[in-house]
Every structure is written in structure tokens, then in C-alpha cells.
Amino acid sequence: MHSGPTGRLRALAFLPCLLGCGSAAEPDEAPGTGADELACGAPAARYASEVVAVQYGPGQAFGRDRMPAVVLGPPHGAGCCAGSLDVVSLGNGGAITVGFGPSAIADGPGPDFIVFENAFYVGGDPDAPFAELATVEVSADGTTWTAFPCTATAPPYGTCAGWHPVYQDGDGSPLEPEAAGGDAFDLATVGLPLVRYVRMTDRADLDGPQGVFDLDAVGIVNPVCP
Ligand SMILES: [Ca+2]
Ligand SMILES: [Ca+2]
């Protein structure tokens, strides 16, 4: 979340949905927690079902009272031009690791998983993303991690998370990257066939407005039941 002129801009972007059109003012949906719902291959198992670790940074604390439910299950995007409030702020330099229970992410055709932040296009302009960046890492065992590079300080931000709007609001199965929005990642980029965990670490070199990553959800495009 934000303060200053850019924060006010974002607050204005929320306004239409505070008047009743979006998910921001609705209560969180509890993610599926039953054994059947989280069985590998079930729709609910396509989203993060556990927070393995979290370490918050300073500066922003929005959504922490709704952890971990706020980051589990499907995203609650607010479309091209507004940021969802269904998120937790990591704080500057914060990190969060999520897992998927019995499901794993495979390197299938195209993107394999999606990280949903609450980025949006300022004034609807795709060249002006309201971006809040995190470095994404993946792991098969929770011990050895491989990072998608994230060093850009101006758009396009490449394989950073936190710069594409989220269009999907609620469950959608299978996840379709273009329709769902968010930041899509392909395991082929880092040469891994299968992972079980995704870690997002806020870019500590970016702070203040557009400087702190907010996590909504993480979804699997190409799931496997190993
Ligand atoms: Ca792939
Ligand atoms: Ca930051």
C-alpha cells in the first residue's frame, strides 16, 4: 500500500469498486481446506494452499491480519486499471514462501505458474504499469532455490513479479494466463522440470510508492501429481 501522490492516484483507481463493482469490499473467500478439495488435480489444488515461511519487512503492513488466508486460493483481481485489496504487503525486503500440498508445478507448454500481485495500468496505459516488484524463486525441495532474474528499474520488468494487472476474480480452472492476468513464469526459463515451492522476495532496492510487493495469490498452470 502507498502514501503520497502516487498512493492517492491508486486510491482514486479503487474508487469505482468501492462503489460496488469489484471484490475489494467483499470479505475473503475461505480457500478450500477439505481433503477432497485439496486433492492433487482438484481445482482448489491449483492455488497455493500453505504458507511455508514468511518474513516481513518494514514500512507497510496491509493485510497481515488476514494471513494466511489472504494469499491462499484463487486471486481476487480488480482488472486493468485498479489494484485489488485482497493482498498482504510484504513490507520492504520481505519474503514469503508458498506450497501447493500434494500438487507440483511442471514445465509444460508455455507458462507454468502465475504470481498475482495488485499491479495495474495507470490510466489504462500498458506502458505505465503501477508496479511493485519482487524476485521470484522456485524450489523442488524447499532447500535449493533458483531465481528468475529481476533487476530492471523501469518497464518492461522482465521476469519480475508485480507488474501485470490481475483480471481473474475467484476460481478459474484451468488457469489461462492471458485471461487470468498476473505475472506468468515458465520453468523452461530456469531449466527446471518440476518445483513444489515458490518464494517471492520484495525488491529491497525499491521502496516507497511502487516499492513494496503485495501478494494476492499464486496459481499453477501446468500441475502434476508426482
Ligand atoms: Ca513451461
Ligand atoms: Ca521494495
Side-chain angles (χ1 to χ4, degrees):
M1 299 303 291
H2 314 277
S3 58
T6 314
R8 284 196 294 276
L9 177 62
R10 180 176 239 190
L12 288 173
F14 287 143
L15 192 56
C17 283
L18 291 176
L19 296 176
C21 67
S23 64
E26 298 172 1
D28 288 340
E29 289 179 17
T33 53
D36 291 344
E37 287 177 292
L38 294 182
C40 191
R46 295 211 166 190
Y47 300 97
S49 60
E50 57 181 331
V51 173
V52 177
V54 63
Q55 180 176 355
Y56 298 120
Q60 297 181 23
F62 182 83
R64 287 181 201 170
D65 57 333
R66 291 177 290 150
M67 281 286 286
V70 69
V71 300
L72 305 181
H76 293 280
C80 71
C81 310
S84 171
L85 296 177
D86 195 75
V87 296
V88 67
S89 173
L90 295 186
N92 196 41
I96 187 168
T97 303
V98 298
F100 303 88
S103 301
I105 307 169
D107 179 22
D112 304 306
F113 69 97
I114 304 174
V115 175
F116 298 98
E117 208 255 352
N118 63 354
F120 62 93
Y121 294 143
V122 177
D125 180 358
D127 293 325
F130 191 106
E132 301 170 306
L133 304 179
T135 300
V136 172
E137 298 166 280
V138 289
S139 176
D141 60 8
T143 300
T144 302
W145 294 90
T146 302
F148 289 82
C150 175
T151 56
T153 54
Y157 296 106
T159 51
C160 295
W163 65 289
H164 289 103
V166 177
Y167 302 108
Q168 182 170 318
D169 180 9
D171 193 19
S173 185
L175 266 180
E176 299 287 352
E178 286 197 18
D183 304 292
F185 293 84
D186 188 340
L187 292 180
T189 304
V190 291
L192 294 176
L194 181 151
V195 299
R196 291 181 177 277
Y197 303 99
V198 178
R199 180 164 70 192
M200 291 133 285
T201 302
D202 175 76
R203 283 269 298 270
D205 61 315
L206 306 173
D207 198 1
Q210 296 200 47
V212 178
F213 184 86
D214 305 308
L215 182 63
D216 182 343
V218 183
I220 304 177
V221 178
N222 289 316
V224 288
C225 304

